[in-house]
């Protein structure tokens, strides 16, 4: 895909985010923020027999942070929790598909860092 198509895809996720909302019966609710700008992503995770049975997110912030959260939910739903504890940041960056400048890296990784905190208690090495 060309950069333009990736940008379009990011905007589409931003405007119509997947798995947007809350899970009232979530097993884990985790908020993460980008201290540089105050943008927020909250993940709601429902576990089901060792897997991520369902996921929702709420957030506010820039297109990259919110679109990457939406993309992340597509990538992680149904996956084994054990696997998700070390979900590679690069998988999400690949899904975003565009070159992320160092200044925007916090935007792009907000959701995946929040996932790591949710499942491990901290964001680990890849923060
Ligand atoms: Fe705040 Fe991107 S500018 S997360």
């Amino acid at each position: 895909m060309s950069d333009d198509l990736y940008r379009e895809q990011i905007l589409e996720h931003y405007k119509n985010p997947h798995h947007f909302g809350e899970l009232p019966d979530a097993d884990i609710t985790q908020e993460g923020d980008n201290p540089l700008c105050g943008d927020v992503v909250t993940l709601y995770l429902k576990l089901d027999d060792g897997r991520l049975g369902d996921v929702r997110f709420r957030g506010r912030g820039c297109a990259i942070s919110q679109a990457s959260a939406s993309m992340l939910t597509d990538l992680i739903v149904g996956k084994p929790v054990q696997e998700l504890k070390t979900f590679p940041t690069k998988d999400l960056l690949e899904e975003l598909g565009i070159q992320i400048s160092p200044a925007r890296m916090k935007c792009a990784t907000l959701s995946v860092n929040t996932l790591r905190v949710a499942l491990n208690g901290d964001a680990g090495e890849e923060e």
Side-chain angles (χ1 to χ4, degrees):
M1 272 205 296
S2 70
D3 264 20
D4 279 355
L5 281 178
Y6 277 116
R7 285 206 173 82
E8 234 170 72
Q9 183 176 277
I10 288 168
L11 276 179
E12 187 51 39
H13 272 272
Y14 181 56
K15 284 190 275 184
N16 299 302
H18 302 182
H19 303 102
F20 191 78
E22 296 177 15
L23 284 178
D25 60 344
D27 294 301
I28 303 172
T29 301
Q30 183 68 51
E31 184 179 292
D33 71 332
N34 179 348
L36 300 176
C37 60
D39 292 346
V40 178
V41 164
T42 305
L43 292 177
Y44 302 87
L45 309 175
K46 180 79 191 152
L47 310 183
D48 179 16
D49 201 18
R51 289 182 176 266
L52 182 61
D54 207 356
V55 57
R56 295 285 183 282
F57 84 98
R58 275 199 181 283
R60 66 155 199 276
C62 65
I64 300 263
S65 69
Q66 303 305 304
S68 66
S70 170
M71 289 175 175
L72 180 71
T73 61
D74 285 348
L75 292 172
I76 63 177
V77 71
K79 294 264 168 66
V81 171
Q82 206 52 35
E83 211 175 280
L84 295 178
K85 286 184 176 188
T86 55
F87 184 87
T89 300
K90 74 169 177 40
D91 286 11
L92 183 59
L93 297 179
E94 271 170 28
E95 192 69 16
L96 280 163
I98 55 165
Q99 197 63 38
I100 303 289
S101 69
R104 304 311 300 276
M105 199 47 91
K106 284 260 182 211
C107 310
T109 58
L110 175 57
S111 58
V112 71
N113 284 342
T114 305
L115 176 71
R116 258 186 236 117
V117 173
L119 297 178
N120 302 308
D122 66 58
E125 289 175 1
E126 288 201 336
E127 192 183 357

